[in-house]
Amino acid sequence: MQHKKPNKLDITFRLKDVVIPKYSFIAPRISEPLTPDHQYTIEVNSGVLIEKGRKEIIIILHIKIFYDKEKEILISDLGTNTIYEIENFDKVIKKKNKNEYQAPDQLVITLLSIALSTTRGIMIEKNSDNFLHKVFIPVVSPKDLLAKKKKQNS
């Protein structure tokens, strides 16, 4: 019996740019001291934008840090757009419908992973002068983020 090997697609990409369209830090008005070891609530949301004309995939991340688990007291809000140029775009990206394109899941997971690490570093730097400098974006599975996004879009 002969086994077929799955088709392997070589993908060539490079990090083109990182844009920070949003950042804010709001010191909450509360009576207790603010410390890095407080149990903050961190919300991580993602999006994927495929720009055919520029042969780009943009990973959009939006990170919010709340003082409370009810998410009523927002302390920090960061948005990043991590832009990748896909050199062999036409071989890799498939047309989903008239206006939408689809990238292979494994590519999106890889790009999400890089974007999350980059955003984690940006968050540390942006909060270097306040008590959030030791509050880290948790390790998040890029695969789970992609699955969550697909579920929201279906």
Side-chain angles (χ1 to χ4, degrees):
M1 181 178 227
Q2 194 175 21
H3 293 282
K4 259 188 163 182
K5 289 185 178 180
N7 291 339
K8 183 180 175 187
L9 179 61
D10 287 324
I11 302 170
T12 307
F13 68 89
R14 71 178 185 89
L15 179 61
K16 186 175 179 180
D17 200 0
V18 179
V19 179
I20 304 167
K22 181 174 193 150
Y23 171 74
S24 66
F25 169 78
I26 307 123
R29 299 176 194 270
I30 54 173
S31 58
E32 53 196 75
L34 298 166
T35 62
D37 55 339
H38 175 78
Q39 291 293 11
Y40 299 96
T41 301
I42 301 175
E43 183 178 277
V44 178
N45 289 298
S46 67
V48 178
L49 180 62
I50 298 175
E51 292 284 345
K52 181 176 175 33
R54 294 192 305 248
K55 299 184 184 239
E56 295 174 347
I57 295 179
I58 303 167
I59 301 294
I60 302 161
L61 290 173
H62 192 190
I63 314 296
K64 291 183 177 184
I65 301 177
F66 296 91
Y67 178 77
D68 55 331
K69 62 183 169 196
E70 296 80 21
K71 300 180 183 179
E72 293 176 355
I73 304 171
L74 179 65
I75 297 175
S76 186
D77 192 358
L78 172 68
T80 62
N81 297 344
T82 308
I83 305 167
Y84 302 91
E85 181 179 9
I86 312 301
E87 290 183 19
N88 52 344
F89 187 95
D90 295 327
K91 289 183 180 178
V92 174
I93 308 302
K94 303 300 176 205
K95 196 167 192 163
K96 190 174 177 180
N97 59 43
K98 186 177 178 182
N99 298 318
E100 287 186 292
Y101 294 87
Q102 186 170 354
D105 283 356
Q106 192 54 52
L107 173 61
V108 174
I109 289 167
T110 299
L111 300 181
L112 265 168
S113 181
I114 296 166
L116 279 164
S117 294
T118 302
T119 300
R120 189 174 286 113
I122 291 168
M123 181 67 88
I124 292 167
E125 175 59 29
K126 287 287 191 183
N127 290 318
S128 64
D129 63 346
N130 64 57
F131 65 93
L132 289 177
H133 72 282
K134 290 194 177 186
V135 177
F136 304 112
I137 298 170
V139 175
V140 178
S141 164
K143 190 175 183 179
D144 291 347
L145 270 179
L146 179 60
K148 177 182 167 186
K149 195 66 182 169
K150 283 184 169 189
K151 188 176 180 181
Q152 288 173 346
N153 291 340
S154 60

